Amino acid sequence: MALPIDPAALESSDIGEKRATLEMDHEAAVEHVRDVFTEAGFGVPVEFSPSEMLNEKVDAERDPYYVLGACNPAMADRALDATDGRMGALFPCNVVVWEAEPGVQTVYHVSIMKAARLLGIAPDDDVMADIVADTGELVDEAFSKL
C-alpha cells in the first residue's frame, strides 16, 4: 500500500516535533516534565510506563520509558469542535520521557494538531491554523522551561 504522503519529505516542523535532553535520573525527569507542562496550562489525565509493562509481560528488558498524556482543556474543546469530534481519536497530546543513558533523559513530543491536519482529521483552515498556533505556543513555553 502506497502512502498518500511521503514521510521522508516531512520536516520536523511539519509534525511539531520537539526534543529536549535532561541530565537527571528518570523519575526526577518525569516529575519535572509533569510540573513544567502543568505550569504551562496542561493537565496530565493519563500517564503510564510502557517499559514497565513490556518488561513484565514479554521480558523486553527496556530502559525506563514513560508517557505523559497532556491535555489543555480549552484547546481540546476547540479542536473537537473544529473536527466534528474526530480529534479525540488522537487525544491526549503525549510527551514521552525515555532514558537515553543513565542520568540522561530524552523528552519528546509531536503535535497531534499538526498530525491531524496531515491525516485529514482536521481541516486545513484558519480555525484549525489558530488552534495549531495556540497549542504550539503552549508547547514551546513548556519546552523552553525544561
Side-chain angles (χ1 to χ4, degrees), residues 8-65:
L10 296 174
E11 302 288 329
S12 67
S13 62
D14 293 330
I15 59 170
E17 184 178 50
K18 298 282 185 191
R19 186 184 296 253
T21 301
L22 301 177
E23 294 186 10
M24 58 181 68
D25 73 29
H26 186 71
E27 292 78 21
V30 169
E31 193 67 33
H32 178 63
V33 171
R34 184 186 302 109
D35 291 346
V36 166
F37 271 79
T38 299
E39 288 172 15
F42 292 91
V44 182
V46 178
E47 54 185 283
F48 66 102
S49 172
S51 59
E52 286 181 15
M53 187 232 357
L54 294 172
N55 291 344
E56 178 185 318
K57 300 291 184 187
V58 297
D59 199 25
E61 297 184 26
R62 292 203 169 266
D63 291 334
Y65 190 101

Side-chain angles (χ1 to χ4, degrees), residues 72-122:
N72 177 286
M75 296 300 159
D77 186 51
R78 288 171 58 194
L80 286 171
D81 285 345
T83 63
D84 296 324
R86 295 179 297 152
M87 189 69 194
L90 298 177
F91 282 175
C93 294
N94 289 325
V95 182
V96 182
V97 181
W98 71 77
E99 186 173 74
E101 61 183 78
V104 179
Q105 314 305 316
T106 298
V107 182
Y108 184 77
H109 169 77
V110 173
S111 168
I112 64 168
M113 302 302 179
K114 287 186 174 189
R117 288 173 81 188
L118 289 170
L119 294 169
I121 292 171

Side-chain angles (χ1 to χ4, degrees), residues 121-134:
I121 292 171
D124 188 13
D125 63 14
D126 290 342
V127 171
M128 197 65 202
D130 288 344
I131 295 168
V132 168
D134 292 346

